[in-house]
Amino acid sequence: MSVAIGVQWPPTTSDHKLVPQQHKLQTLQLATLSATYNILLQISLIVGTFVANAVILRSVSEDVFAVINVRLLLLYTTIQFLSREPLRRVSISATKSHDWQLLVNLISLSIPLSLVFGTILCLIWYYIVEQPDPQVVADYGVGLVAVLVSVVIELLAEPLYVFGQTLWFIKLKVAADGLF
């Protein structure tokens, strides 16, 4: 049986030492390519974030910018962490045992968990944590709901991310890490 790139498979007795070396070389090339994509993506996202922040700083007051960057970003990362990280850790064991049904069920729980945690945390942020001045931030409640919705939308891609990571889709993993 011959493969399209001209490598004979299965290897003959004289070729048996080349197969592990080729596999190591392919793995090394894949890791180098992954690191290159990751570095380029991170640099471009940092530059894009810098430009976006410069534009936002010119058009938004410092108080509104502070509320967005401190309060709402803290809410966002808290909901995301509580909804996603425990299931990612548990899914690692499911991928080792190749129990794909369990993996799908576990990762699909991230969306209801984000709704539960997000609702509880939004209520805490709205009723318990001191609210910013209504003259500065008039639609604070709408911002809280927008954060919750954005986390739920992001977690819709979580099953694809975990499967991509499990099946070693490096470009997909780099793009997902960079964009989210």
Side-chain angles (χ1 to χ4, degrees):
M1 171 190 252
S2 179
V3 182
I5 58 172
V7 176
Q8 182 71 25
W9 193 261
T12 60
T13 55
S14 63
D15 294 340
H16 74 282
K17 293 181 182 176
L18 293 178
V19 173
Q21 290 174 352
Q22 287 176 344
H23 180 68
K24 287 179 185 178
L25 181 62
Q26 288 175 347
T27 304
L28 181 62
Q29 288 173 341
L30 189 60
T32 305
L33 184 64
S34 171
T36 304
Y37 283 142
N38 199 1
I39 290 169
L40 291 174
L41 183 65
Q42 292 299 322
I43 289 172
S44 64
L45 289 174
I46 289 170
V47 169
T49 303
F50 177 78
V51 171
N53 281 337
V55 170
I56 290 171
L57 277 174
R58 298 214 181 263
S59 61
V60 176
S61 72
E62 292 176 7
D63 294 333
V64 172
F65 192 68
V67 168
I68 292 170
N69 274 339
V70 175
R71 292 177 183 230
L72 296 181
L73 193 58
L74 179 62
L75 175 65
Y76 178 84
T77 54
T78 304
I79 296 170
Q80 189 182 45
F81 177 77
L82 291 174
S83 303
R84 181 173 67 184
E85 290 304 318
L87 296 176
R88 278 189 180 178
R89 300 293 174 235
V90 172
S91 68
I92 291 171
S93 64
T95 58
K96 288 180 182 176
S97 65
H98 300 291
D99 191 354
W100 301 112
Q101 184 64 38
L102 176 64
L103 181 65
V104 170
N105 292 340
L106 284 173
I107 297 302
S108 297
L109 283 176
S110 63
I111 297 166
L113 276 177
S114 68
L115 289 170
V116 170
F117 287 133
T119 303
I120 292 169
L121 289 171
C122 282
L123 291 172
I124 289 171
W125 251 251
Y126 194 75
Y127 290 110
I128 296 174
V129 175
E130 182 182 342
Q131 289 191 13
D133 185 17
Q135 293 176 346
V136 174
V137 183
D139 296 324
Y140 185 64
V142 174
L144 294 174
V145 173
V147 167
L148 175 60
V149 169
S150 68
V151 171
V152 171
I153 290 172
E154 182 176 336
L155 289 176
L156 287 172
E158 188 67 15
L160 296 174
Y161 175 83
V162 170
F163 276 117
Q165 188 173 1
T166 302
L167 299 175
W168 289 69
F169 294 147
I170 301 299
K171 289 182 183 178
L172 174 67
K173 181 185 181 306
V174 169
D177 281 340
L179 295 176
F180 302 117

